[in-house]
Amino acid sequence: MGQAVETVGNPFVSRFMRLRQAGPFALTIFGASGDLTKRKLIPALFNLYKDGFLSQPFNIVGYARREKTDREFQAEMAEGIKKYSRRQPDSDEQLQQFLSTLSYVIGSFEDEPGYRQLKERLRMNALSLMTPENNLFYLATPPDSFEPIISNLNHSGLITPIADGPRWSRLIIEKPFGHDTVSAIALNHAVHKAFDEKQIYRIDHYLGKETVQNILVFRLGNSIFEPLWNRRYIDNIQISVSESLGIGSRAGYFDSSGIIRDMIQSHIMQVFTLIAMEPPASFETNAIRDEKAKVLKAVRYLKSEEISTHVVRGQYGPGSVGGEKVKGYREEKDVPSVSTTETYVATKITIDNWRWSGVPFYIRAGKRLPKRVTEVAITFKAPPHLLFDLSGCENLTPNVLRLRIQPQEGISLSLGAKVPGQALQIAPVRMDFMYSESFGVASPEAYERLILDAITGDSTLFAREDEVDLSWKIIDQITKHWDNAPLHIYPAGEWGPTAADELVARDGRRWLRL
């Protein structure tokens, strides 16, 4: 099963493939009738299959309340592959071979009969394929279903203990992992009743993106930048997540969470730790996670009186995005007309350690901004201006390193260069690197990398329990003082509230253009 990738004449690729190929496994997707399964998970699994990473016998079981047959489930997933996969099947035969691994179990998340049926299906599949019962359970469900699913998996005997020979059981949990520190700790407690920490994979698709994965390689694998990655040479770091879309059909979830919980606690905190962490002793999983946790422990907590000067929260009103008029947040379907939920947050974070003392991290995330872009911008300290001032050149700008996470993944560095001519004029020029142009292939989707990691037992790119708790504590010490941060209404299609500009202007800086 699966198709081999051409590796003739390339021993490195051949060795990499052997290391990354999944052994036999069964993946059960809870909430398989939802959008995530059709748009992301099944297309990701198909691409792994097409690339030869799923070369051993495997089967995929969808579990949901909605009634449908195996054939109906396969037909829906075939439609998802054709519509959402980054690459299409080479032939109908290849597609049908992949679809033949899919089956469907009807069941409630709360009731035991469905789990008994699932257990029997998984047992029969393993017998027919003559493989061990290696089970990966994926919770693609609303958060309130996490605990009943985990409890029923435990009581039904579907979970293999971590020390039980060559067989294994693992759990992938989609965000949000809790709503605050208290709920995250409670959820961790519930999960640990059934799974050991080594079996738990808290997934954040941002960590599967090429630029995010490349942060440590870029930092530590290039002697040009590693010596500069500290307070002596870096003036400030900006992490920006701009979305042009509104909340869509997510009003029920978003209005109770806001962008600080939806985006900053998860995606941005993960990127933040990779940028700020100390070099690990090795690229071993816990060595990297230990350093990420140390960064979160070193973040300075804000006092209640500092919230008004260090945090800006906003909410989009009516406006125009891309030439199209759009509604304000309070006019969106299912949003209360008096909602004070933030759709924009800007904040300043400081780290109390040797490497980053005095270097501000400016973070901003917002919806209904002018365009969709996510990037990290590292601004280096400017050289002394005296030499250039005496020469009549006053427009020297600092070097800026930009790590573009989406939509076009890549890295750029701005340099000062002399403008051709008799006068001494300096203008910034950019050196750009784009993954798609440099390597000639499209980057794999984030879910492809992360699902394969979970199948092969590599938890490096997944959040550990202490990381989750620490990041929630940082968020909680802000949200408990929300009343000290007034809600600013900004027109849709603009770069957030003007108060966000004032946040960085107080330090003599400005937001970089995205």
Side-chain angles (χ1 to χ4, degrees), residues 234-238 348 358-360 362 379 381 500-512:
I234 292 178
D235 178 81
N236 73 90
I237 295 177
Q238 298 181 13
K348 172 185 173 181
V359 178
Y362 299 109
T379 300
K381 291 185 176 179
D501 298 326
E502 296 166 4
L503 171 72
V504 294
R506 278 192 289 270
D507 295 336
R509 300 181 176 94
R510 61 180 178 83
W511 292 110
L512 298 178

Side-chain angles (χ1 to χ4, degrees), residues 162-174:
I162 195 167
D164 191 12
R167 297 190 307 159
W168 52 259
S169 293
R170 297 177 187 135
L171 178 73
I172 299 180
I173 307 181
E174 277 281 347

Side-chain angles (χ1 to χ4, degrees), residues 199-223:
Q199 298 172 284
I200 303 166
Y201 293 73
R202 300 173 187 84
I203 194 167
D204 186 330
H205 72 271
Y206 259 52
L207 292 186
K209 294 181 180 295
E210 286 290 353
T211 306
V212 176
Q213 293 176 47
N214 200 35
I215 288 173
L216 290 186
V217 174
F218 183 84
R219 279 185 56 185
L220 306 177
N222 294 284
S223 59

